[in-house]
Amino acid sequence: MNKKNSLILAAVFIIVIAAVAYQIVQTRNSNQASDEALKQTVENKALGLTFSYMGGADGFTLVEPPAEQKGILKAYLLLPSKAYEAYKAQDTAGEAPAGMNVFVFTLEEDSATTTSAATSTARADRMTRLQEWATTNTTITSYAAAKGAPETIEIDGLKTLHYKADGLYKQDIYLASYKNKAFMFVGQYNEESDQTYTEFQKLMQTVSFN
C-alpha cells in the first residue's frame, strides 16, 4: 500500500471513529431526553410528600387504591406497565407483579405526648416512636423479619430507617416519620439486577418532604 492510500485509509478511519462517537453521544442524549419525557412526579401537598418515577410502556403504571384500612392515609402502587397489563388480562386472579409501593400512615402520638404535663424529655423522640410503630405493625412493615439490624440514614434531611426483608418478593424498605405521619417506601424484587430494584433506588433519590 503506497503512502497516498495509507493517508486516505487513515482519514476514512478517523471519519468512521468520529461518526461512531457522534452516534453514541446522540443516542445517549436521546435516551436522556426520553427519560425526562417519561418522568412522572407525584406531589401531595396535604401529606407533605413528593417523589418521581419513570412512566410509559417500559416504565411503571401508578395505581391509587382507596385507603380503606384503618390508619392508612394514602397508598401509591407503582407496577411495571407491561407486567401490570399482563396481570389484568389474566382469567384468574394471581399474584400481583413485584412493584414499588409508597404508603402513608397516621403515626399516633405516644401517651406521654397527649398529657399536658408531659415535658419534651418525657416524649419519645421521632426515631423511637417510629421504631415502636414499626414493631407494633410488623405485619405491614416486615420489621421483625428484617435481615440484619436496620440502619439509620437520611432522606431529604430526615432520619430514616432502612432494612431489607424477604416475603413473596425480596423487599427493600425505608421508614420515615414526618408531622405525625409514617411513610413507608417498599421496593419489591427477585434480584438486585431487576428493573424494579434499579428504578426503586432512583425513586428514593427523588423523595422530598415538605
Side-chain angles (χ1 to χ4, degrees):
M1 181 181 295
N2 58 38
K3 184 176 182 180
K4 184 179 292 186
N5 289 339
S6 296
L7 290 174
I8 292 173
L9 183 60
V12 171
F13 182 73
I14 291 172
I15 291 172
V16 170
I17 292 297
V20 171
Y22 176 79
Q23 184 61 41
I24 291 173
V25 171
Q26 289 299 101
T27 301
R28 186 176 299 158
N29 290 340
S30 176
N31 289 340
Q32 290 175 345
S34 177
D35 287 346
E36 285 301 314
L38 293 172
K39 182 180 178 181
Q40 303 292 317
T41 298
V42 174
E43 182 179 14
N44 191 318
K45 293 182 179 180
L47 297 175
L49 174 68
T50 302
F51 63 89
S52 299
Y53 66 95
M54 185 177 73
D58 293 322
F60 292 77
T61 296
L62 174 62
V63 179
E64 298 181 55
E68 298 177 341
Q69 185 175 335
K70 182 181 178 181
I72 188 167
L73 298 174
K74 187 66 178 178
Y76 297 103
L77 311 182
L78 292 154
L79 303 171
S81 296
K82 292 179 179 178
Y84 180 52
E85 290 303 317
Y87 172 73
K88 290 194 298 181
Q90 293 179 356
D91 294 330
T92 57
E95 299 294 348
M100 309 184 296
N101 306 315
V102 180
F103 302 99
V104 185
F105 301 89
T106 298
L107 184 60
E108 296 181 359
E109 295 188 15
D110 63 316
S111 57
T113 64
T114 59
T115 304
S116 58
T119 64
S120 58
T121 54
R123 298 177 182 179
D125 63 53
R126 177 181 292 173
M127 291 304 290
T128 300
R129 286 179 58 204
L130 182 61
Q131 290 172 326
E132 291 175 348
W133 177 85
T135 301
T136 301
N137 296 278
T138 189
T139 54
I140 297 172
T141 64
S142 298
Y143 196 71
K147 299 174 67 175
E151 61 176 343
T152 300
I153 63 170
E154 283 196 5
I155 293 180
D156 193 32
L158 200 66
K159 286 186 177 180
T160 304
L161 291 173
H162 175 231
Y163 55 97
K164 293 184 177 181
D166 289 334
L168 176 62
Y169 300 108
K170 294 178 182 177
Q171 302 175 85
D172 192 17
I173 303 172
Y174 294 82
L175 290 178
S177 66
Y178 181 64
K179 294 184 177 179
N180 290 325
K181 292 184 287 291
F183 296 83
M184 183 169 73
F185 306 86
V186 184
Q188 300 173 317
Y189 62 101
N190 290 309
E191 302 295 338
E192 292 188 2
S193 58
D194 292 353
Q195 179 199 24
T196 304
Y197 183 85
T198 301
E199 292 300 323
F200 181 64
Q201 307 311 309
K202 294 179 182 178
L203 181 152
M204 292 307 303
Q205 293 174 11
T206 70
V207 172
S208 64
F209 302 96
N210 42 68

